[in-house]
Every structure is written in structure tokens, then in C-alpha cells.
Amino acid sequence: MANVKFGRKNFESDVGKLDSEMQEMIALFGTPVESVSDDTLELEIFPNRPDLLSYQNFKRSFLAFLGKKTGMRTYTINKPEKNYEVIVDSSVKEVRPFTACAIIKSLKLDDSKIKEIIELQEKLHLTVGRDRKKLAIGIYPLDKIVLPIYYKAVEPDKIKFQPLDYPKEMSGLEILQKHPTGKEFAHLLAGKMKFPIFTDSQENILSMPPIINSEKTGRVTNETKDIFVECSGFDFAILEKCLSIITASFAEMGGKVYQMKVKDNITPSFKSEKMALSLEKTNKILGLELDKKSLKKLAEKMGYNYFADGEVEIPPWRMDILHEIDLIEDIAIAHGYNNFEPIIPDISTIGKENKNEILKRKISEILSGLGLLEISNYHLTKKQDQFEKMGVPEKEESGFIELSGSKTDYNIMRKDLLHYLLKIISENSDSEYPQKIFETGRVFYTDKNEMTVEEDHLGVAFTPGNYTDLKQTLDYLSQNLGFSFEVKEEQNLNSFFVEGRSAEIIFEGERIGLIGEIHPKILRNWKIKMPVSIFEINLERVYGKF
Amino acid sequence: MSKLIESLSTNEKKILPYLEEKGLSEICKKSNLDKVSVLRALEYLSNKKIIEFETEKKKVIDVGVNGALYRKKGLPERRLLLLLNERRIILLKDAEKESGLNADEFKVSLGVLKSKAFIEIKNGKIILSASKEAISKKSSEEIFIESLPLEEDELTPEQKSLLKVLLKRKDIIEAEERKKFHIKVTPLGKEVMSSKDISRELIEQITPELLKKEQNWRNKKFRRYDVTATVPRVNGGKRHFVNQAIDYGRKIWTEMGFEEMNGKVMQSSFWVFDALFTAQDHPVREMQDTFFLGRKGELPDKKLVEAVRLSHEKGVSGSKGWNYNWDEEEAKKMVLRTHTTCLSARTLASLKKEDFPKKYFAIGKCFRNETVDWSHGFEFNQTEGIVVAPNLNFRHLLGYLKQFFKKMGYEKIRFTPAYFPYTEPSVEIHWWHPEKKVWLELGGAGIFRPEVVTTLLGMNVPVLAWGPGFDRILMDYYQVKDLRELYKNDINQLRKMKAWVKV
């Protein structure tokens, strides 16, 4: 999610006073207000609207939404002049095949505009560009460049230039190893035989996309009037869209946009697109009764042109219109989400709870009636809690499901509930005893065939509590559910129970759980100073009975 | 008056005659009760205005560490004197050794005995000069120490000078500011104490023994209780507060005619993302945001897989699609579900045209790879709902949302545009927090995109869908400020937590 910060002063002079009514309108436009201060207005821009990531572009769209300057904005796009060309070498095919470029002239830049351009570039990198993986943008002062421009890929050691913010010349590999930005994005070029570069006709290296510009030819300042912009990446259509967003922003600043010849294309094509928008479908989906005239008005408020034949003209910078439904949503936004009257449809259906949930609740009620307190734990757990503290040696840890790259030390799925019950008891030594707790919840493991299993379990623990206490509870529960659990002295002795005081719980001939007194050595691992008894059963078989 | 007397407990009555005794220990002794019982009874009597407590700050003289020891073993000079009583004449160095005193104590003892003219020291020898009678008599210091503790203002001039002397010696005496309680019997109390009724027998606990014979209680009085007195806390069994709230959510949905969906927490990316038109390079599909299990799962039947591929690559139902090469292997990767919407996707894939209209809901745990702080966690609860029927529209979506949140206690809500890859139009629900005076997000909703519905159902029918988080709702209700408290399982807190009651 991308947030953008606009100057409050600019906003108030261009759009209007930023009072609560205006903030409401901004939210209804689909750009939630994150914060407002004396100097700034911070908005969240949803990922489908990269065309709102700069102030200039936002202002244009929002003014239309407010009913000022509606319809599709057009900008004068000048044809390429002599040498306004980017010669694309076939060597880039393997590494970063496409580029779309433009030239903007007669800009009057100041610090705030340069900041806006850089921020737009960065936000586009992050969102549409997927952190430069899919797309990267370069902006250069044109007066330092001798046209035409070449886009090619060469061996990293043959690349030598002084990158931005670095005191001396480096090779392509050195940049990836030593330059801060180079290190950050090194993974995008790592392992490539050749790295892509832009050069001018004097063979000055302008940049090594998607990493960094050259210090000599790649720094835009207050003095810069004319610039060269390129987008490089893997999907030409997206590069074109992205270039449209940038050039529209420059055009709003007063720059003159020039196309360039890029291989067989002229970019930016700035080609608008047409799509049919059916009045009937719009009304059907939105539950409205709009006529053509009001549909046209609403479409124009969202920056589209609407034609009598039912077609909508979509500006070239919109990346999110995949389907007519996307236009219909914009009509809803223009209509105002606050202007829809919510209604419940006349549909008759029968409500139904999931059977397992009904049983889980029933079990919880039975146990609550015995004075047991229900607890609820994470489904994730720590390996140390699941194994080490339960006395399982590291080489015997098995059947657990690990999570890749967890940001916390909760990095496996819980295999059982009983280690969590002990954890809670160990953390509650200052709560009044006796403590009788239970949990019903999902556990996760892999079976003999390495297949993943999810089961609902019930775990019960008493402290202080002995085998009899737990067996009584188990008997009471099964009696109330209308069947009986048997117990059988445990065959494969679990080391966390006291030998001779633990049993398997058998239901219709199948082992569904364990019951017993926890061994002092395990209590010691958990720093528990009270006797604890526990049972845990798999509820899936019980569910099957209902 | 008689009511008051009838309310006196056995213990209160026991101590009543001794209220004017000096000091707590006297009352204990006379009433034959332990200190805790007496204190409790006194408190009850004070509640009944029979006595008043007066506190007073007093400097109290008591024995120090050594003083307490000497009380048991005798003062050093006494111990030296006893030794001399046996030996009459003894070498100084032998005396020090045999007396068992340390150098300090020995020195002081010599000084004391000399000043009392009990001994003489000549040529390195101690010679006893005191009479037998003088030796057997307790010294004034000993008498003083035995009488401690004493209040400073009650000391006699003689005791004061003794105090001065003893204070010079190490840790025998300690002077301390103490709060002292005085029990003052009120006029009401005096009346009670002198009342004849006080000796009348009252029935305490009603016991089975008592109930056996009518004469045990006929014409007798029952001791009155202080029914407003606080009683010890009792701990009961109950459901976890999160589950109480979830059960209420379940009740709302079923009341509104919804059928519950249930499914696995571990799902293939296919159901969590691909079937919901989330492109394979979408950031949510990175390890940074989602828990991957490092294993692959099964894909559904080939027809559905190909339909999903087509929706991504070329688009279906008039859509342009995402225009990339969709990778089946990517779709197989198992994840922990990031939303319960995967359950809706599975449900849609199982529906046939003749099943409509249908309404489904789910409430369940979802997961995201997050660090943990007061507002973030790796597990959260989501409530999911879908309505499938021809002729549904956006206003119906808002209608269900308004109704659900109204039942949850959110009266003033607003809808604003939102973005989700699988819904269009999309909507965010906000609640006006009356105290904070801000709009807070409650959740997201929308109508499933044609790309999703056509792929899963084989036709484009409106499907209203929502998936607001549930945790904010229950944190609001229980006034929990920190998300971590939901699963902290502090037994004290759970026992005290109010029950979920919404009508």
C-alpha cells in the first residue's frame, strides 16, 4: 500500500479548504485520508490507481470528481524531432527487453517539483514496478546528453561510470557489491551475463537500469529545463502506461511532451482506449435508475469521455480498467457511495450452522458447567515449546509443519494442544489455584505419507490435578455426549507422562487421545511448581458420530 | 438496638467484653481468639459503629537485633558475672575467652560491672567484689529491656536515663515511629456492652443438625448478617471471550439465513489467490506477507485449473486479464490462508445453477507473516459472507453490511470506495467512533469480479461478498487496547472479563 504526502498549501489554493467536508469528499473519491497536519495532507492510494500517485495527477482527477474540469484531459503531444530516438540493441532481450521513453521540455522546476517527481518515481517503483523487478524509471537532464540514445546490454566489467552519490567510477559488478543502492537491488541483476545500460551517442553511460543513474548525466536540478525519461522492464504495455502517468504529471507542471522513436514504436503513444459501458448493466449492478445524460455526467466526473453510442474513452494513464465492471465502479464512486440507499433483498434461504461448530460449542458448554475456563491459543507455536520443553530430543522432532521466513519465533504449526496448556499454566503461576482450563482448536501435522493433516482437538488440564480428576472429567464429558470413551494403559509410553499413570483414550476401537499425569521433569522444564494432569482427544471421530 | 445486637457474630460477641482492655494482645488473650480473627471482628464492630479506631503516631522504644538476642541469652555483663560467680578471680584474657563474648561486648561488660562496683581489676586479673545477693538481683537494665516495648512519652525519668545509656550500646535498643490504634468504644457501643440481650443465644449457621428438630429453631433468633459486606471472589468456568463473540457472530448470520462454511487453514495458493484473480506477481504472494509451508498441494480438476489460467492470461467474460504466463506450480504452493474468502471460492466452485439463491458465511482464523505488537499479529479472525442470486446489486451489499454491523452495535457507519483484486465495485466500511471522533475501518466488501465468478461458477451471476476482520469488533466491546491480549490467556483476566451480551 502506498501513501502519498501532498503540500496542504498547494491543495488549498488549487482545490479548496481542507475542512471535514473536503476530507469526506477525498474519502468518497477512494483515497482514504491517512493524516492531516498544518503543512501536509497524507492519502492512501490503492494499488489499482498508480495514476493518482503524484500531486499533479491527483489534482486533475479529484477536481473532475468535484465537478470542475470534467471529462478526459488531453495534452499536446509533439512528434519526435530529429534524433529523438532510442536505439534498442537485441542484446537486452535476455536481461531487460523493453523500454518506453519520452522527452519533456520547457519545465520550470523547483525543489518541491523535483521532490514530487522523485517521489512519484519511487512510488511507481514500489507498486507497479514491484520494487523495480517489473519496471524501473530513469530521469535525466537532456542538456548533458547527446541524442540519440542507445539501450543495450554489455558485460558487467565493461561497464564503467560514476554512479549517483559516489565519489568515483565503478564497474558494473563493483556497483552491485559496494554502492548502497547497488547492494539493495543487486538481486535483480545477479547471475546475468550482461547488464543493461543506456548510453548517449558519445558513449557516455547514462544509467544501469534498474539500479542507478550516472552522477554526470543522471541528476536533475533546479536548473534543468529539458529532460529525458525512460521506463525499462518486461512488459511493454505496462511500460507505456507508466510512461503516460509520468508524462501526464510533467505536462500538468507545464512541460512540453515530445515522443521518441523506440525501436518500432513511438512512445509515449498516449493512446486512449474505448470500452462499451452499458447503461442497463450499470443500473442493474448498482441498483440505480440512471439515464444516459446522468451516466455521461458521472463518467466525465471520473475523467472519462462518454459518447452517445455508449462508449467510454479511457485516458492512457489508467492501468486498472480490465473490464466494464471497472467502469461501473467508477460510476458508483462518481454517484457517491454515500448516496446509495442500503436495502436487504427479498431472498429466502435457511440458515445453518456447521455441525462441528455446534459440537465444539456443546463440548465447551459441558466443560464450562464443570467450572472449567476456556482458553484460546495461537495456531502457530515455537519449536522449543512444542518439542524441547516437552522432553522431545531434537533428533526425534518430526511430523511438524514449518513456516518459511516467519518474522517471529512462532515458526511451526502446533501439533497438539497439551504443550500450550502447560505453557499457559506456567505463565499463570500468580493466578489463584486450582486452575482448570480447556481449549478446543485445530492442530496440524504430517502423517506417515508426509501428507498434511488438520484436526480439531480438545485439551483439558487441571493444576493441581491428578489422574482421577481428569478421568472424572473425561467420563462426565462422554456421558453427556451420549457415548463412552475407554482407556487402555498406554502402549507407546509418552515420556511426558508418569509411567503407570497415563492411558490411551479409545473410542470405538481407535485411539483418539491421551490422558495422564505430567512427569515432574516436564513440569520442571516449564517451571511449574504444581502437579498437572492433562487429557487431549481428537474430535474428528466424535464429529463423525453426529 | 436489638437488630444491631442480633447482627453480632460469635467472635464479635466474644471480644465485646474486652474492648476496653489495653492493647490487641490483651484482647486476644482474654477472648481466646487469634490475632486475625480479633482484627476482623474489630473491623466489623467498627462498621457497626460500636467502636471507633483512633490512630496515633507514637515513638516506640523496642529491642534491637542484639537486644532481642540478649533477652534470650542474657546481657553480656550478666554472662560475665555468672562466670565470675564461679571463679571469683580470673585472668582478663581467660575471662574474655571463657565468657564467649566478643571483644566489644567484653569491654562494655567490664565497664558496666566496674561502675556498679561489682568487680575490681588488679594485675590483669578480675576480682569479684559483689555480694551474692547483689549478683542474684536483676539489674535495672535487664528489667527495662524485659519491659519493652514502651512508648517514649510514658517513660519514667529513671527509664529515660537507662535508655540513654543503652542507646550507646550496639543494637540493643531501637526507637521507631509506629502508628498505634486505639479502640474507642462509642456511646452506642457502651449501650450494646451493657445490654442484657447480649447474652441471648443466636443461631449462627443453619446446619442439617439444626434442622433436625423444630425446637432447635422455633422461637429463636437468627444472627443477622451484614448483607452488604464484601465477600471473597468466586471463579467459575466459562468460554473464552473471543469465542463468545464469535458465537454471537455465528448467531447473527444464521438468523439472517446464512449457511456456515468450514474449511482448512492450510490451502493451496490456487484457492487463496489464483481463483480470486490475484495475479501471481501480486506482492501479497510473497513470503514477506504470507506464510508459505514449503510444500505443494493438489490442484482441483483440470477444467477449473484451465479456466483460472485463462482468466489470468487472456481474461474471461469480456476482461483483458492480467496478460502473463500463469504458472500451475506457483498455484500449488501451500500457504496459511490469508483470508476466509478462499472458503467462498471453494463454495462457489461447488455450486450449480439450480442451487441459487444461496447465502453462506464463515468465521475463522486467518494468517499473515507479521511481527507482533499492540495493533499487529500473525493471526486474526475474519468473518466472511457471500450471497449468490440473480438480480443482486450494490445496494443489497450495503444492506447486508449495514444490518450485520447494526447487530454488532455499530449504528453510524459509512461506505467508501476500496480496492481488492477480486471484487468490483469494492467498498470499505467505516465506523464513527463517538469518543475519538474519527472514522475507523471495520472491513472490506464488494461484488465478486466477473473474472472470479465466471471461472468458478461457469456463468456470471452477482455474488455479494464481504470479509471484515472480527478482532476490532471484539476489542471495542471488551475494551481491549492491545491485540496481544486476545490470546494472552491471563487466567486472572479471563476470570474477571465481562461476558459478551448483545441483544
Side-chain angles (χ1 to χ4, degrees):
Chain A
M1 266 185 247
N3 285 6
V4 290
K5 262 188 190 161
F6 301 149
R8 180 170 181 160
K9 232 194 239 160
N10 284 344
F11 180 90
E12 295 204 317
S13 72
D14 294 342
V15 182
K17 198 165 180 304
L18 192 56
D19 51 17
S20 59
E21 227 165 285
M22 180 66 85
Q23 289 187 35
E24 181 79 14
M25 287 311 283
I26 296 173
L28 285 168
F29 180 53
T31 47
V33 177
E34 286 294 312
S35 68
V36 174
S37 74
D38 290 345
D39 305 323
T40 57
L41 163 66
E42 189 181 8
L43 306 179
E44 183 191 338
I45 305 293
F46 295 134
N48 61 328
R49 293 300 302 270
D51 60 299
L52 298 178
L53 284 171
S54 79
Y55 174 65
Q56 301 296 338
N57 286 343
F58 173 81
K59 181 185 76 183
R60 176 195 60 230
S61 308
F62 187 61
L63 280 172
F65 174 70
L66 294 178
K68 301 165 194 170
K69 301 186 187 174
T70 61
M72 191 179 107
R73 188 74 47 89
T74 50
Y75 302 104
T76 313
I77 305 296
N78 301 288
K79 292 261 166 309
E81 292 187 352
K82 187 171 172 269
N83 283 337
Y84 281 18
E85 187 178 2
V86 178
I87 297 143
V88 179
D89 190 84
S90 61
S91 56
V92 294
K93 217 172 177 175
E94 301 297 314
V95 42
R96 209 169 175 83
F98 300 110
T99 182
C101 310
I103 281 170
I104 323 285
K105 287 184 148 183
S106 312
L107 280 166
K108 292 187 187 77
L109 296 179
D110 56 26
D111 286 346
S112 91
K113 282 185 181 142
I114 290 175
K115 198 171 153 231
E116 187 185 332
I117 295 165
I118 291 171
E119 276 183 6
L120 173 63
Q121 183 185 3
E122 277 173 6
K123 303 280 176 198
L124 287 170
H125 277 159
L126 267 174
T127 54
V128 187
R130 301 280 191 261
D131 216 7
R132 304 194 189 188
K133 193 159 59 190
K134 206 170 167 183
L135 167 158
I137 302 153
I139 299 172
Y140 315 81
L142 192 62
D143 60 335
K144 305 265 170 68
I145 297 170
V146 185
L147 295 167
I149 285 162
Y150 292 82
Y151 180 47
K152 58 187 173 190
V154 299
E155 285 85 11
D157 53 345
K158 285 190 187 138
I159 300 172
K160 279 216 160 54
F161 69 102
Q162 184 191 347
L164 273 181
D165 302 317
Y166 208 77
K168 58 178 203 284
E169 246 189 33
M170 303 173 99
S171 78
L173 274 180
E174 277 174 325
I175 290 173
L176 299 193
Q177 285 156 1
K178 290 179 193 158
H179 192 281
T181 319
K183 283 194 277 189
E184 190 184 343
F185 294 100
H187 61 280
L188 297 176
L189 288 181
K192 304 276 187 219
M193 299 301 288
K194 289 178 173 179
F195 291 178
I197 49 168
F198 283 97
T199 68
D200 72 358
S201 57
Q202 308 296 300
E203 299 208 348
N204 291 313
I205 295 181
L206 308 183
S207 71
M208 181 171 86
I211 313 289
I212 198 152
N213 281 10
S214 145
E215 176 71 40
K216 284 180 185 145
T217 56
R219 190 183 281 284
V220 173
T221 67
N222 284 346
E223 268 89 67
T224 310
K225 300 257 179 308
D226 306 334
I227 58 169
F228 161 64
V229 192
E230 49 82 7
C231 298
S232 68
F234 297 88
D235 183 332
F236 185 70
I238 288 174
L239 297 180
E240 263 255 297
K241 288 274 178 200
C242 199
L243 189 64
S244 302
I245 290 171
I246 299 164
T247 46
S249 209
F250 280 128
E252 284 288 334
M253 286 180 186
K256 284 173 75 181
V257 179
Y258 287 81
Q259 291 176 316
M260 294 185 86
K261 191 171 174 299
V262 180
K263 219 174 172 183
D264 308 322
N265 300 294
I266 303 288
T267 65
S269 65
F270 242 71
K271 215 162 63 198
S272 61
E273 196 188 335
K274 289 194 177 154
M275 191 182 267
L277 173 61
S278 145
L279 177 67
E280 192 204 334
K281 272 192 206 163
T282 306
N283 280 333
K284 189 170 181 285
I285 289 166
L286 299 183
L288 297 175
E289 287 168 10
L290 302 170
D291 55 19
K292 266 215 159 146
K293 208 176 127 198
S294 47
L295 184 64
K296 177 179 161 70
K297 207 176 148 197
L298 293 176
E300 284 171 354
K301 275 177 126 185
M302 296 310 284
Y304 303 107
N305 288 333
Y306 181 83
F307 303 109
D309 61 359
E311 283 214 317
V312 159
E313 187 175 14
I314 303 161
W317 49 82
R318 285 296 291 266
M319 298 181 80
D320 57 321
I321 311 299
L322 302 179
H323 189 279
E324 187 183 12
I325 195 72
D326 297 300
L327 297 173
I328 293 174
E329 182 187 63
D330 269 1
I331 298 301
I333 292 171
H335 180 71
Y337 275 27
N338 52 337
N339 294 323
F340 283 90
E341 193 201 334
I343 47 167
I344 299 267
D346 190 7
I347 294 176
S348 168
T349 52
I350 309 293
K352 190 177 161 193
E353 269 183 274
N354 179 271
K355 185 184 76 183
N356 299 356
E357 296 300 333
I358 297 173
L359 283 164
K360 256 184 352 195
R361 181 167 60 234
K362 197 42 79 182
I363 290 168
S364 301
E365 281 170 6
I366 293 168
L367 294 175
S368 303
L370 279 181
L372 272 66
L373 189 66
E374 188 185 32
I375 57 165
S376 181
N377 284 297
Y378 292 129
H379 290 66
L380 274 56
T381 191
K382 300 175 185 175
K383 219 170 157 188
Q384 190 198 10
D385 291 348
Q386 177 74 69
F387 295 113
E388 191 188 318
K389 288 195 176 170
M390 295 307 294
V392 179
E394 205 172 342
K395 58 180 190 304
E396 284 171 33
E397 293 171 0
S398 67
F400 63 93
I401 294 162
E402 197 161 11
L403 303 168
S404 327
S406 173
K407 287 177 189 162
T408 67
D409 50 359
Y410 289 79
N411 58 6
I412 63 167
M413 303 302 287
R414 63 179 182 192
K415 267 185 81 180
D416 56 45
L417 298 177
L418 62 88
H419 81 279
Y420 253 128
L421 295 171
L422 287 171
K423 182 186 166 98
I424 297 312
I425 287 171
S426 89
E427 285 171 358
N428 276 285
S429 57
D430 56 347
S431 298
E432 208 178 305
Y433 292 96
Q435 296 170 7
K436 302 174 181 181
I437 55 174
F438 75 99
E439 175 167 17
T440 57
R442 209 62 74 84
V443 302
F444 309 82
Y445 61 91
T446 56
D447 65 11
K448 295 191 290 287
N449 306 319
E450 275 294 296
M451 297 299 284
T452 57
V453 180
E454 276 184 40
E455 281 169 357
D456 277 349
H457 278 204
L458 161 69
V460 175
F462 282 19
T463 181
N466 58 28
Y467 182 84
T468 307
D469 298 329
L470 269 285
K471 182 67 169 46
Q472 284 177 314
T473 307
L474 183 68
D475 288 348
Y476 180 79
L477 178 68
S478 62
Q479 188 189 13
N480 272 273
L481 291 174
F483 41 74
S484 67
F485 297 133
E486 289 151 43
V487 297
K488 203 168 90 189
E489 196 167 337
E490 206 186 343
Q491 295 303 305
N492 306 315
L493 190 78
N494 260 298
S495 58
F496 46 79
F497 284 130
V498 174
E499 195 179 345
R501 296 188 189 179
S502 63
E504 293 178 318
I505 300 167
I506 310 289
F507 181 54
E508 300 190 329
E510 196 184 322
R511 167 181 150 152
I512 61 160
L514 294 168
I515 178 169
E517 290 186 8
I518 300 294
H519 198 283
K521 72 183 179 200
I522 304 300
L523 296 179
R524 201 187 177 86
N525 290 348
W526 287 102
K527 297 193 169 69
I528 296 173
K529 298 193 172 79
M530 279 275 182
V532 180
S533 291
I534 275 186
F535 76 74
E536 173 161 349
I537 56 173
N538 174 4
L539 293 176
E540 302 292 330
R541 280 298 305 256
V542 179
Y543 293 161
K545 292 302 284 181
F546 292 90
Chain B
M1 181 68 182
S2 64
K3 264 192 178 179
L4 182 64
I5 290 171
E6 281 167 26
S7 76
L8 296 176
S9 73
T10 317
N11 281 356
E12 285 165 64
K13 278 202 236 168
K14 271 190 189 164
I15 65 166
L16 204 60
Y18 313 115
L19 286 178
E20 282 165 325
E21 293 291 340
K22 202 178 161 201
L24 189 61
S25 49
E26 264 323 283
I27 301 178
C28 292
K29 214 191 276 172
K30 295 250 165 82
S31 64
N32 206 11
L33 289 173
D34 62 68
K35 198 175 160 187
V36 179
S37 310
V38 170
L39 280 172
R40 196 178 296 143
L42 283 171
E43 183 156 355
Y44 291 145
L45 287 176
S46 136
N47 290 343
K48 289 168 186 160
K49 309 263 188 300
I50 287 172
I51 56 166
E52 275 169 13
F53 288 115
E54 278 177 348
T55 60
E56 195 185 358
K57 268 191 191 165
K58 284 262 163 140
K59 205 165 183 187
V60 175
I61 312 299
D62 204 346
V63 286
V65 184
N66 286 340
L69 195 72
Y70 298 158
R71 250 190 194 170
K72 281 190 200 151
K73 290 169 63 176
L75 281 168
E77 58 263 37
R78 169 65 59 191
R79 278 141 71 192
L80 185 58
L81 201 56
L82 288 173
L83 180 72
L84 289 168
N85 198 21
E86 276 171 34
R87 306 279 283 269
R88 315 301 294 182
I89 300 172
I90 188 169
L91 277 170
L92 265 171
K93 56 180 184 192
D94 290 348
E96 186 171 353
K97 214 189 279 167
E98 289 177 40
S99 66
L101 301 173
N102 66 36
D104 238 18
E105 288 172 329
F106 186 66
K107 222 173 100 192
V108 175
S109 302
L110 284 182
V112 172
L113 295 178
K114 239 165 83 182
S115 72
K116 293 190 173 177
F118 281 13
I119 56 165
E120 285 168 63
I121 299 174
K122 265 184 200 161
N123 306 327
K125 288 177 188 161
I126 313 173
I127 304 156
L128 184 73
S129 53
S131 68
K132 266 224 159 99
E133 202 195 351
I135 292 170
S136 66
K137 220 174 107 188
K138 272 190 185 170
S139 72
S140 51
E141 287 93 340
E142 285 169 320
I143 294 166
F144 180 64
I145 289 171
E146 274 172 25
S147 69
L148 293 177
L150 292 169
E151 281 162 28
E152 198 183 33
D153 9 336
E154 288 171 356
L155 296 181
T156 61
E158 191 199 348
Q159 283 173 324
K160 273 185 192 158
S161 60
L162 274 170
L163 175 67
K164 229 175 180 178
V165 175
L166 287 172
L167 274 174
K168 284 183 194 150
R169 293 175 63 176
K170 204 178 168 214
D171 293 336
I172 294 186
I173 299 294
E174 216 173 55
E176 200 187 359
E177 281 268 304
R178 281 191 196 161
K179 267 193 206 158
K180 205 183 158 189
F181 291 96
H182 278 296
I183 299 162
K184 194 184 151 207
V185 181
T186 63
L188 176 70
K190 296 226 158 104
E191 221 178 304
V192 170
M193 283 166 81
S194 59
S195 163
K196 286 193 302 246
D197 293 347
I198 202 83
S199 56
R200 187 169 169 187
E201 201 190 334
L202 295 174
I203 297 172
E204 278 293 322
Q205 297 280 344
I206 301 174
T207 58
E209 200 56 41
L210 178 100
L211 296 174
K212 267 185 187 160
K213 284 183 193 153
E214 196 175 333
Q215 74 234 39
N216 287 351
W217 49 265
R218 173 75 68 195
N219 296 327
K220 284 191 182 162
K221 289 262 179 188
F222 292 82
R223 205 249 306 163
R224 285 177 177 275
Y225 290 164
D226 175 5
V227 292
T228 61
T230 53
V231 296
R233 203 180 79 195
V234 68
N235 297 317
K238 60 173 157 180
R239 304 213 57 193
H240 190 268
F241 62 100
V242 170
N243 291 341
Q244 291 182 39
I246 286 176
D247 260 356
Y248 178 74
R250 196 171 269 128
K251 177 170 165 277
I252 292 181
W253 291 127
T254 46
E255 276 175 3
M256 287 165 75
F258 284 74
E259 194 175 318
E260 186 167 13
M261 303 181 281
N262 195 347
K264 292 193 166 174
V265 163
M266 302 184 291
Q267 298 270 355
S268 65
S269 294
F270 181 86
W271 290 110
V272 179
F273 303 122
D274 297 286
L276 292 165
F277 199 52
T278 305
Q280 293 189 325
D281 74 341
H282 194 286
V284 77
R285 304 185 65 156
E286 283 171 21
M287 232 162 61
Q288 202 54 20
D289 287 318
T290 298
F291 284 119
F292 283 83
L293 304 180
R295 57 179 70 231
K296 286 182 178 174
E298 302 268 321
L299 292 185
D301 67 88
K302 192 138 186 77
K303 204 176 133 207
L304 184 55
V305 173
E306 285 313 306
V308 166
R309 178 198 302 282
L310 187 67
S311 75
H312 282 243
E313 290 189 346
K314 303 238 159 41
V316 290
S317 181
S319 165
K320 292 195 250 175
W322 292 120
N323 203 10
Y324 70 105
N325 288 325
W326 186 80
D327 181 4
E328 214 171 282
E329 294 306 308
E330 196 61 38
K332 283 183 188 164
K333 288 183 181 167
M334 295 279 284
V335 297
L336 295 187
R337 66 185 183 205
T338 59
H339 48 200
T340 41
T341 316
C342 57
L343 302 179
S344 295
R346 278 179 175 272
T347 302
L348 281 180
S350 72
L351 285 182
K352 286 188 263 332
K353 197 177 178 179
E354 48 277 22
D355 297 332
F356 307 153
K358 276 283 186 189
K359 297 194 283 205
Y360 292 98
F361 81 98
I363 303 183
K365 272 276 181 83
C366 300
F367 303 80
R368 61 188 156 213
N369 194 0
E370 277 264 22
T371 51
V372 179
D373 64 30
W374 70 273
S375 65
H376 294 90
F378 47 72
E379 294 188 14
F380 60 101
N381 290 289
Q382 196 185 9
T383 179
E384 175 84 10
I386 53 169
V387 184
V388 195
N391 302 319
L392 287 171
N393 65 46
F394 189 58
R395 287 170 57 199
H396 299 139
L397 173 70
L398 304 186
Y400 281 117
L401 292 170
K402 197 178 166 187
Q403 185 61 37
F404 174 75
F405 283 108
K406 196 176 156 192
K407 291 202 178 216
M408 278 292 173
Y410 298 91
E411 287 290 342
K412 189 175 174 186
I413 59 169
R414 76 171 182 190
F415 301 111
T416 64
Y419 172 74
F420 308 103
Y422 41 92
T423 55
E424 196 83 5
S426 304
V427 55
E428 231 171 51
I429 305 103
H430 295 176
W431 166 56
W432 179 253
H433 196 296
E435 279 103 52
K436 290 184 191 159
K437 306 240 178 278
V438 284
W439 289 103
L440 293 175
E441 195 190 324
L442 286 175
I447 300 176
F448 272 147
R449 293 189 66 95
E451 293 92 333
V452 174
V453 180
T454 316
T455 306
L456 294 172
L457 265 178
M459 66 194 112
N460 191 8
V461 179
V463 179
L464 313 180
W466 50 87
F470 207 74
D471 293 341
R472 151 148 290 149
I473 298 174
L474 59 97
M475 283 170 78
D476 273 340
Y477 182 83
Y478 291 113
Q479 307 248 305
V480 171
K481 304 268 182 292
D482 188 326
L483 197 61
R484 287 169 292 195
E485 298 219 342
L486 298 186
Y487 304 108
K488 200 172 154 209
N489 296 300
D490 176 339
I491 289 180
N492 256 332
Q493 188 196 19
L494 291 180
R495 283 170 172 164
K496 286 183 197 159
M497 204 88 169
K498 67 175 174 180
W500 177 281
V501 186
K502 278 198 192 276
V503 288

